[in-house]
Structures are given as C-alpha cells and as structure tokens.
Amino acid sequence: MIDKLSEAFAFKQAALSLRTQRQEVLSANIANADTPGYKARDIDFSAELSRAMGPQQGGKGLSLNTTTAGHLQNRGGVNPGMVDLQYRMPDQPSLDGNTVEMDRERAQFADNSVRLEAHLSMTRSFIQGLKKAMQPE
Amino acid sequence: MSMFSIFDISGSAMTAQSQRMNVTASNMANADSVAGPDGETYRARHVIFESQAGQRSEVGGVRVSQVVEDQSPLRQEYQPGHPMADEQGYVSMPNVEPVHEMVNMIAASRSYQANVEVMNTNKQLMLKTLTLGDN
C-alpha cells in the first residue's frame, strides 16, 4: 500500500525537484550578468519532466539500474547530475561575450517562481485531501 | 536541497557588485590625486569578474578575481608652479574618466538590486516549501 502512496507522489516530487534546479540555474544567470564570457544556461522543463517520468525508447529513463531482485525501484525522480543544461540563444551580440540579457532572465525567473509557488499550493491541497481521505468517520 | 545554494549564488553576486561600487567610489574620490602613499600618481582601478561555475556543478556564482590598474596614459596638465611638475611644467593627473565611472556605478547598483530581489523571492519560496503538509 505504501508503494501506491509513493507512486502518487512521484510526479510531484520530480516536478518540485526540477523547478528548484531551474530556479538555481536562473539565479546563477542573474548573478553572472556582468561576468565576461559567461553563457546563459537554462533547462527545458517539459522535456526534462517527461524524461524523468517515463522511460526512454528502449531504456529505463532515469531510474536506477536494478540487477538483483532486492534492489529498490526508483519511482520516478530526478537525478540532479543528469539534468540536461542547455544554452540560451541571445537576442543581441555583446562585446564581452556575455549572453545574459536581464529582461529575459528576469521574466523567466518570475515565471518559474510563480509556477513553483502554484505547484506548492497544489501539492499542499493534495496532501490535505489525502489526509482527509485517511481519517475514519 | 539545491535551493540553499541559491543563497550562496546571490550572496556572491551582491559581494562582487559591492566591491565594484567600492572601486568606482575610490576612482571618483581620487580623480584629482596627483600623488598616492607610494609617491605615484593614482591610476584608475577596475575589477575583473569571474564565474565560480565548473567546480562541483555547471552553474555557480561570481567573484572578483583581481583588481587591476588601468594602463592607459596619464592625463598631462600644464601647471609650471606645481611642486610635482616635471622640467617642462607638466603634472601627471590620474586617468579616471568620470563618465565611465558613472556608468559603472549605475550598472552595479542595478545588478545589486536584481540580486537582492532574487534572494528575497527564493527565501519566500523556501519558507513556503517548509509549510507543505501543514493544515
């Protein structure tokens, strides 16, 4: 029965982990807005999430390599070292090689923050619903 | 949890930008200093930023790697009565450009504000994450 609970949470856990990692990447972009030669990075959220939740063609997705019956199954989750960091295409060239554009980074940061907050609200409601369902009447 | 390293990243950016502001303030204050403590004319200083990414992860904060002196030629002013004038009557004045320093100051303060906002937003999100599961 506990595995049904962890399956229910697997998607939310993966999404939360990816959102916080994207938050870190965007914060690093804003911090390095004046560093010469720094290239802005980002994560393709929907692609990463579907990659974390479903198996690849012919592969196991991001789940752990289970070779024995006693190995734990990874119920979907994001391995932080395997997230694919991509580069952002700049709109304008710059003299010092820095591709961070403040307007674009701030917009993405605000977007990610709002989505993260929405995710937290929905997860809280979900947990409250589960708890209510577990209470005896 | 990787959210805690966001404080390090934004904090490092704020430190770096405030160092940049200090250097700008030093340049503006010494725009007319003919001689420093070592007897040499003041040269404008600049900070060099370096990203801290690449050690343990691909993203990271920023730090000031070094403070360099501007090597462009000093401004020569004709003041024959000045005690520091050379034999032709020219005094070497610092090579500080006020317009350049003002632009630096504006850019540094905007960047500092942006990083303060990033830190505030992340702090709020972390506090909200801690309330997951509460009624």
Side-chain angles (χ1 to χ4, degrees), chain B residues 19-40:
Chain B
Q19 279 180 282
R20 183 181 175 191
M21 288 283 278
N22 280 342
V23 165
T24 301
S26 164
N27 286 345
M28 295 285 273
N30 286 292
D32 287 328
S33 301
V34 180
D38 52 356
E40 297 290 324

Side-chain angles (χ1 to χ4, degrees), chain B residues 75-88:
Chain B
R75 191 164 46 99
Q76 307 285 337
E77 267 191 22
Y78 185 66
Q79 290 181 23
H82 199 279
M84 306 266 307
D86 58 7
E87 55 270 5
Q88 280 122 6

Side-chain angles (χ1 to χ4, degrees), chain A:
Chain A
M1 195 207 71
I2 296 296
D3 59 336
K4 297 251 184 325
L5 268 181
S6 52
E7 268 184 45
F9 274 108
F11 175 75
K12 302 200 178 304
Q13 177 197 330
L16 184 63
S17 177
L18 270 178
R19 283 273 174 229
T20 54
Q21 284 184 52
R22 186 162 186 240
Q23 195 81 343
E24 186 179 356
V25 170
L26 293 175
S27 304
N29 283 349
I30 295 178
N32 281 289
D34 292 324
T35 308
Y38 181 85
K39 309 295 176 197
R41 316 297 292 268
D42 200 355
I43 300 174
D44 184 356
F45 186 79
S46 44
E48 288 294 323
L49 189 56
S50 44
R51 195 160 76 95
M53 288 313 297
Q56 295 162 343
Q57 307 90 334
K60 299 193 238 353
L62 294 181
S63 50
L64 296 174
N65 200 7
T66 54
T67 52
T68 319
H71 276 171
L72 294 169
Q73 297 284 339
N74 188 14
R75 295 282 168 187
V78 181
N79 189 353
M82 293 185 52
V83 166
D84 186 23
L85 269 181
Q86 299 176 344
Y87 291 94
R88 196 187 297 290
M89 294 300 297
D91 295 325
Q92 313 170 27
S94 84
L95 280 179
D96 59 351
N98 183 302
T99 64
V100 174
E101 280 143 0
M102 228 20 176
D103 50 350
R104 204 174 271 279
E105 296 303 324
R106 291 301 305 275
Q108 292 295 323
F109 183 78
D111 175 86
N112 198 50
S113 304
V114 168
R115 287 181 196 271
L116 177 54
E117 195 147 355
H119 177 85
L120 290 173
S121 290
M122 287 189 265
T123 306
R124 185 201 270 119
S125 312
F126 178 73
I127 293 175
Q128 279 176 358
L130 277 183
K131 276 179 165 175
K132 260 206 182 98
M134 284 190 241
Q135 279 170 5
E137 278 315 330

Side-chain angles (χ1 to χ4, degrees), chain B residues 21-114:
Chain B
M21 288 283 278
N22 280 342
V23 165
T24 301
S26 164
N27 286 345
M28 295 285 273
N30 286 292
D32 287 328
S33 301
V34 180
D38 52 356
E40 297 290 324
T41 309
Y42 182 88
R43 279 185 176 275
R45 284 167 174 69
H46 302 297
V47 289
I48 310 249
F49 282 159
E50 186 186 66
S51 171
Q52 284 173 327
Q55 299 154 0
R56 53 172 185 85
S57 79
E58 289 206 39
V59 295
V62 63
R63 68 182 193 95
V64 173
S65 60
Q66 48 178 330
V67 179
V68 296
E69 290 192 356
D70 196 349
Q71 294 303 320
S72 45
L74 296 171
R75 191 164 46 99
Q76 307 285 337
E77 267 191 22
Y78 185 66
Q79 290 181 23
H82 199 279
M84 306 266 307
D86 58 7
E87 55 270 5
Q88 280 122 6
Y90 282 104
V91 179
S92 295
M93 303 292 279
N95 55 356
V96 173
E97 290 178 53
V99 175
H100 190 110
E101 301 303 327
M102 290 300 288
V103 169
N104 253 347
M105 182 190 78
I106 294 172
S109 66
R110 285 270 171 256
S111 199
Y112 191 93
Q113 285 170 18

